[in-house]
Amino acid sequence: MVVRATDIGKTVPTLDGPLTILDGIDLEINVGESLAVVGASGSGKTTLIGILAGLDLPSRGNVHLAGHELTAMDEEARARVRGEHVGFVFQTFRLLASLTAVENVMLPAELRGDAGAQAQARELLDRVGLADRASHYPRQLSGGEQQRVGIARAFASRPTVLFADEPTGNLDTRTGARVIELLFRLNEEFDTTLVLVTHDDRLADRCGRVVELDAGRIVA
């Protein structure tokens, strides 16, 4: 087991009083598993994976990731665990506009102080079909190309768990299908655990397990 969440609750204050986003979430994710988190907008999907990845803390409950209890750590310690074990792919790509494609992919390895970051980044860009776009800036790339750079960057950290939040959400159907194929091919090659938030039925159907959220609770 690589992720275990126990009795996760998340409540935030609003002008109308406390708002419950997650309530009583229990979830275990095995090593190498692919899991899709689905549900209507506002059901708590993005909040849940943010907590599982250590980007956010729950109001109650605890989360273990790769043997570390994230909920017992301060932000500095959680950041260290994220750097060692977690990769991210976002709907909005989140590439740094001032860096070229290869520099964006190099970033996780450089932050860890790894040797050979550039060679590794160029190899990953080649694997996602963008070797000839390495020196291009994000503004010079299509949406599908930017997402492929984002995927290469996520795998550059050799993550134990890759979290993806609507990775095909900003892509047309054809480009989204290519990104899905790429994501699962690299996931298999790297033997990574994959946790996805998606509205894309094609993407959910490729996963080994689907969890559905409704009003902050797991319903299926």
Side-chain angles (χ1 to χ4, degrees), residues 2 52-54 63-70 73-88 112 157 159-161:
V2 68
L52 297 181
V63 176
H64 291 78
L65 186 148
H68 301 274
E69 187 178 353
L70 298 178
M73 296 178 169
D74 60 20
E75 171 52 30
E76 183 178 351
R78 290 198 309 276
R80 189 161 53 248
V81 172
R82 289 196 303 269
E84 293 173 356
H85 294 287
V86 173
F88 296 98
R112 286 198 314 269
S157 63
T160 307
V161 187

Coordinates of all heavy atoms in Angstrom, one line a residue, residues 2 52-54 63-70 73-88 112 157 159-161:
V2 N 0.6 2.2 -0.9 CA 1.4 3.4 -1.0 C 0.7 4.6 -0.4 O 1.4 5.6 0.0 CB 1.9 3.6 -2.5 CG1 0.7 4.0 -3.3 CG2 3.0 4.7 -2.5
L52 N -4.2 14.1 -0.3 CA -3.5 12.8 -0.5 C -2.0 13.1 -0.9 O -1.1 12.3 -0.5 CB -4.1 11.9 -1.5 CG -5.5 11.4 -1.3 CD1 -6.0 10.5 -2.4 CD2 -5.6 10.6 0.1
A53 N -1.8 14.1 -1.6 CA -0.5 14.5 -2.1 C 0.3 15.3 -1.1 O 1.5 15.6 -1.4 CB -0.6 15.2 -3.4
G54 N -0.3 15.8 0.0 CA 0.4 16.6 0.9 C 0.5 18.1 0.6 O 1.2 18.8 1.2
V63 N -3.2 11.0 6.8 CA -2.8 10.5 5.5 C -1.4 10.0 5.6 O -0.5 10.6 6.1 CB -2.9 11.6 4.4 CG1 -2.4 11.1 3.1 CG2 -4.3 12.1 4.3
H64 N -1.2 8.7 5.1 CA 0.2 8.2 5.0 C 0.5 8.0 3.5 O -0.4 7.5 2.7 CB 0.2 6.8 5.6 CG 0.2 6.8 7.1 ND1 -1.0 7.0 7.8 CD2 1.1 6.7 8.1 CE1 -0.8 7.0 9.1 NE2 0.5 6.8 9.3
L65 N 1.7 8.5 3.1 CA 2.1 8.3 1.7 C 3.5 7.8 1.7 O 4.4 8.4 2.3 CB 2.0 9.7 1.0 CG 2.3 9.7 -0.5 CD1 1.5 10.7 -1.3 CD2 3.8 9.9 -0.8
A66 N 3.7 6.7 1.1 CA 5.0 6.0 1.0 C 5.7 5.9 2.3 O 6.9 6.1 2.5 CB 5.9 6.8 0.0
G67 N 4.9 5.5 3.3 CA 5.4 5.3 4.7 C 5.6 6.5 5.5 O 6.0 6.4 6.7
H68 N 5.2 7.7 5.0 CA 5.3 8.9 5.8 C 3.9 9.4 6.2 O 3.0 9.4 5.4 CB 6.0 10.0 5.0 CG 7.3 9.6 4.5 ND1 8.5 9.8 5.3 CD2 7.7 9.1 3.3 CE1 9.5 9.4 4.6 NE2 9.1 8.9 3.4
E69 N 3.7 9.8 7.4 CA 2.4 10.3 7.9 C 2.4 11.8 7.6 O 3.0 12.6 8.4 CB 2.2 10.1 9.4 CG 0.8 10.5 9.8 CD 0.5 10.2 11.2 OE1 1.3 9.6 11.9 OE2 -0.6 10.7 11.7
L70 N 1.8 12.2 6.5 CA 1.9 13.6 6.0 C 1.2 14.5 7.0 O 1.6 15.7 7.2 CB 1.2 13.7 4.7 CG 1.8 13.0 3.5 CD1 0.9 13.2 2.3 CD2 3.2 13.4 3.3
M73 N 3.3 16.1 9.8 CA 4.5 16.9 9.4 C 4.2 18.3 9.3 O 3.0 18.7 9.0 CB 5.0 16.3 8.1 CG 5.5 14.9 8.1 SD 6.0 14.4 6.5 CE 6.8 12.8 6.9
D74 N 5.2 19.2 9.4 CA 5.1 20.6 9.0 C 5.2 20.7 7.5 O 5.6 19.7 6.8 CB 6.0 21.5 9.8 CG 7.5 21.1 9.5 OD1 7.8 20.4 8.5 OD2 8.4 21.5 10.3
E75 N 5.0 21.9 7.0 CA 5.1 22.1 5.5 C 6.4 21.7 4.9 O 6.5 21.2 3.8 CB 4.7 23.5 5.2 CG 4.9 23.9 3.7 CD 4.2 22.9 2.7 OE1 3.2 22.3 3.0 OE2 4.8 22.8 1.6
E76 N 7.5 22.1 5.6 CA 8.8 21.8 5.1 C 9.1 20.3 4.9 O 9.6 19.8 3.9 CB 9.9 22.4 6.0 CG 11.3 22.1 5.5 CD 12.4 22.8 6.5 OE1 12.0 23.5 7.4 OE2 13.6 22.5 6.3
A77 N 8.6 19.5 5.9 CA 8.8 18.0 5.8 C 7.9 17.5 4.8 O 8.3 16.6 4.0 CB 8.4 17.4 7.2
R78 N 6.6 18.0 4.6 CA 5.8 17.5 3.6 C 6.3 17.8 2.2 O 6.3 17.0 1.3 CB 4.4 18.1 3.7 CG 3.6 17.6 4.9 CD 2.1 17.9 4.8 NE 1.8 19.3 4.4 CZ 1.7 20.2 5.3 NH1 1.9 20.0 6.6 NH2 1.4 21.5 4.9
A79 N 6.9 19.0 2.1 CA 7.6 19.4 0.8 C 8.7 18.4 0.4 O 8.9 18.1 -0.7 CB 8.1 20.8 0.8
R80 N 9.4 18.0 1.4 CA 10.5 17.0 1.2 C 10.0 15.7 0.7 O 10.5 15.1 -0.2 CB 11.3 16.9 2.5 CG 12.6 16.1 2.3 CD 13.6 16.3 3.4 NE 13.0 16.1 4.7 CZ 12.7 17.0 5.6 NH1 13.0 18.3 5.4 NH2 12.2 16.7 6.8
V81 N 8.9 15.2 1.3 CA 8.3 14.0 0.9 C 7.7 14.1 -0.5 O 7.9 13.2 -1.4 CB 7.2 13.6 1.9 CG1 6.4 12.4 1.3 CG2 7.7 13.2 3.2
R82 N 7.1 15.2 -0.8 CA 6.6 15.5 -2.2 C 7.7 15.4 -3.2 O 7.6 14.8 -4.3 CB 5.8 16.8 -2.3 CG 4.5 16.8 -1.6 CD 3.7 18.0 -2.0 NE 4.3 19.3 -1.8 CZ 4.2 20.1 -0.7 NH1 3.5 19.6 0.3 NH2 4.8 21.2 -0.6
G83 N 8.8 16.1 -2.9 CA 9.9 16.1 -3.8 C 10.5 14.7 -4.1 O 11.0 14.4 -5.2
E84 N 10.4 13.8 -3.1 CA 11.0 12.5 -3.2 C 10.0 11.5 -3.8 O 10.4 10.5 -4.5 CB 11.4 11.9 -1.8 CG 12.6 12.7 -1.2 CD 12.8 12.2 0.2 OE1 12.1 11.4 0.7 OE2 13.8 12.7 0.8
H85 N 8.7 11.7 -3.7 CA 7.8 10.7 -4.0 C 6.6 11.0 -4.9 O 5.9 10.2 -5.4 CB 7.1 10.1 -2.7 CG 8.1 9.4 -1.8 ND1 8.6 8.1 -2.2 CD2 8.7 9.7 -0.7 CE1 9.5 7.8 -1.2 NE2 9.5 8.7 -0.3
V86 N 6.4 12.3 -5.2 CA 5.2 12.8 -5.8 C 5.5 13.5 -7.1 O 6.4 14.3 -7.2 CB 4.4 13.7 -4.9 CG1 3.2 14.3 -5.6 CG2 3.9 12.9 -3.7
G87 N 4.7 13.2 -8.2 CA 4.7 14.0 -9.4 C 3.2 14.5 -9.7 O 2.3 13.9 -9.2
F88 N 3.1 15.6 -10.4 CA 1.9 16.2 -10.7 C 1.7 16.6 -12.1 O 2.6 17.0 -12.8 CB 1.7 17.6 -9.9 CG 1.7 17.4 -8.4 CD1 2.9 17.6 -7.7 CD2 0.6 17.1 -7.7 CE1 2.9 17.5 -6.3 CE2 0.6 17.0 -6.3 CZ 1.8 17.2 -5.6
R112 N 16.3 18.9 -6.8 CA 16.8 17.8 -5.9 C 18.3 17.7 -5.9 O 18.9 17.0 -5.2 CB 16.3 16.4 -6.3 CG 14.8 16.2 -6.0 CD 14.5 14.7 -6.1 NE 15.1 14.1 -7.3 CZ 14.4 14.0 -8.4 NH1 13.2 14.5 -8.6 NH2 15.0 13.4 -9.5
S157 N 10.7 13.4 -12.0 CA 11.0 13.3 -10.6 C 11.0 11.8 -10.1 O 11.2 11.5 -9.0 CB 10.0 14.0 -9.7 OG 8.7 13.5 -9.9
P159 N 8.5 9.7 -9.8 CA 7.6 9.7 -8.7 C 7.1 8.3 -8.3 O 6.9 7.4 -9.1 CB 6.4 10.5 -9.1 CG 6.4 10.3 -10.6 CD 7.8 10.2 -11.0
T160 N 6.9 8.1 -7.0 CA 6.3 6.9 -6.5 C 4.8 6.9 -6.8 O 4.2 5.9 -7.2 CB 6.4 6.8 -4.9 OG1 7.8 6.9 -4.6 CG2 5.8 5.5 -4.4
V161 N 4.2 8.1 -6.7 CA 2.8 8.4 -7.0 C 2.7 9.6 -7.9 O 3.3 10.6 -7.6 CB 1.9 8.6 -5.8 CG1 0.4 8.7 -6.2 CG2 2.2 7.5 -4.7

